[in-house]
């Protein structure tokens, strides 16, 4: 069996990719944390945090991921796509732990390796915004907007930056753009209200802020802005009423990329992440251990089952791999990766009829899968079904 096939499948599921390394990189560790030198020109070194200053469980997790990334950097067969994904995933973990500097370094490398990937441009913008580097954030957000015009958080974040810098016309334009994507976006209505308040257009401020409050009644911070708007318009009693209701709960735009960061550092997802990096570094035994933990944390996780199967296949445990793919199919009978992997393994074991069944099932799900169709033709020929093989 070839390594390539299983790498292709696992990378589909947990998002990997990579490039040819020009100079071998070495992970160095000192009192300031790990240092991952850039493996090729145009990338930056990644300086990890001092793990001794972190909670033991956090330090252990980061150390494991850093070692996997370091091993991947040493692999001269790693291509740009795989390396970009690996840097990006490492950056997301740092980001989840509020370790902005190494997160930014990882995102920068991921972005330079895959400039068309929206995620890295957007997350760079997010880090720059939180670090108070407004112009850099705007530049990344503008690029992110071009790459994915439908991502609602981009125009809202841009509007908030302009608002903070008192560039009110630009802020209003960005918030209006957000409303064109989602007419019920409370964060955009709140931003428009704040912009109107800053321009002393109190009637307009009241209109937008009331719309935001209607969308998110629990966002009691809106009451303070409404109180200021009513006071400006001379409606003192309404101002007093809203002032009495003010609180600390604000309005924020839905942001799946940032909101999902915490999921990377707990439960099933953290083991999937560790396993993915270990697999990319060809540490298949370690990858299998992590995917087993992912299955234990969430037995109905299809990615955990399929990736565990792929790791076991690399270790030569074909029975274990087949068991995991079958479990994945029980959870989702239309799981294409499991059908292909089963077809491939069964073909290697000369179980041609069973291989044909899974490959035909896959092609009913995706008739354009030429790799599966070619393998099906080979299996039909091996089973003595020459005419059917020729048709494939």
């Amino acid at each position: 069996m070839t390594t390539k096939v299983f790498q292709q499948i696992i990378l589909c599921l947990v998002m990997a990719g990579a490039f040819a390394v020009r100079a071998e990189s070495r992970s160095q560790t000192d009192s300031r944390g790990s240092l991952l030198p850039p493996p090729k020109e145009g990338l930056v070194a990644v300086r990890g945090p001092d793990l001794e200053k972190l909670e033991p469980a956090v330090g252990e997790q980061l150390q494991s991921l850093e070692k996997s990334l370091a091993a991947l950097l040493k692999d001269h067969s790693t291509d740009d796509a795989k390396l970009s994904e690996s840097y990006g995933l490492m950056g997301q973990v740092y980001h989840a732990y509020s370790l902005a500097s190494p997160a930014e370094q990882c995102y920068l490398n991921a972005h330079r390796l895959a400039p068309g990937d929206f995620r890295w441009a957007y997350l760079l913008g997010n880090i720059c915004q939180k670090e108070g580097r407004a112009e850099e954030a705007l530049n990344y957000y503008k690029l992110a907007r071009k790459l994915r015009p439908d991502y609602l958080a981009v125009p809202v974040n841009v509007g908030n930056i302009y608002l903070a810098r008192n560039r009110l016309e630009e802020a209003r334009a960005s918030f209006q753009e957000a409303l064109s994507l989602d007419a019920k976006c409370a964060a955009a209505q709140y931003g428009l209200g704040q912009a109107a308040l800053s321009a002393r257009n109190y009637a307009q401020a009241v209109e937008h802020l009331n719309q935001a409050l209607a969308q998110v009644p629990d966002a009691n911070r809106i009451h303070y802005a409404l109180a200021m708007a009513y006071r400006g318009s001379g409606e003192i009693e309404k101002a007093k009423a809203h002032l009495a209701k003010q609180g600390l709960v604000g309005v924020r735009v839905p942001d799946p990329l940032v909101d999902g960061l915490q999921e990377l550092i707990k439960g099933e997802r953290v083991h999937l992440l560790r396993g993915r990096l270990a697999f990319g570094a060809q540490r298949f035994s370690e990858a299998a251990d992590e995917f087993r933990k992912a299955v234990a944390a969430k037995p109905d996780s299809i990615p955990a089952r399929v990736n565990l199967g792929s790791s076991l296949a690399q270790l030569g445990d074909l029975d274990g791999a087949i068991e995991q793919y079958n479990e994945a199919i029980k959870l989702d009978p239309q799981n294409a990766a499991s059908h292909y992997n089963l077809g491939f393994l069964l073909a290697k074991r000369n179980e041609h009829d069973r291989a044909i069944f899974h490959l035909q099932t896959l092609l009913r799900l995706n008739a354009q899968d030429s790799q599966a169709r070619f393998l099906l033709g080979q299996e039909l020929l091996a089973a003595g079904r020459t005419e059917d093989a020729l048709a494939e």
Side-chain angles (χ1 to χ4, degrees), residues 341-355:
N341 280 9
L342 274 172
F344 180 84
L345 286 185
L346 292 168
K348 291 296 179 183
R349 296 174 64 162
N350 295 319
E351 297 184 40
H352 303 301
D353 290 338
R354 292 178 64 196

Side-chain angles (χ1 to χ4, degrees), residues 14-15 84-93 120 264 273 276:
V14 289
M15 300 183 303
S84 171
E85 194 68 38
S86 300
Y87 269 125
L89 287 172
M90 189 77 242
Q92 287 175 298
V93 175
W120 315 135
L264 290 173
L273 178 61
R276 172 254 172 274

Side-chain angles (χ1 to χ4, degrees), residues 233-282:
S233 63
E235 300 179 73
I236 303 303
E237 292 304 314
K238 287 185 178 180
K240 288 180 179 179
H242 281 285
L243 204 57
K245 297 178 182 178
Q246 68 169 314
L248 299 176
V249 181
V251 186
R252 64 185 303 274
V253 65
D255 190 345
L257 262 181
V258 173
D259 295 344
L261 290 175
Q262 290 300 316
E263 295 300 316
L264 290 173
I265 58 177
K266 61 184 180 182
E268 170 218 12
R269 293 296 298 277
V270 68
H271 296 300
L272 282 175
L273 178 61
R274 289 182 181 181
R276 172 254 172 274
L277 287 173
F279 191 99
Q282 298 188 24

Side-chain angles (χ1 to χ4, degrees), residues 340-379:
Y340 182 86
N341 280 9
L342 274 172
F344 180 84
L345 286 185
L346 292 168
K348 291 296 179 183
R349 296 174 64 162
N350 295 319
E351 297 184 40
H352 303 301
D353 290 338
R354 292 178 64 196
I356 289 167
F357 169 79
H358 287 288
L359 293 168
Q360 288 177 332
T361 301
L362 169 57
L363 287 168
R364 284 195 291 271
L365 298 171
N366 179 14
Q368 305 306 313
D369 191 329
S370 58
Q371 191 172 12
R373 192 170 296 283
F374 182 76
L375 181 56
L376 174 59
Q378 290 181 313
E379 286 304 284

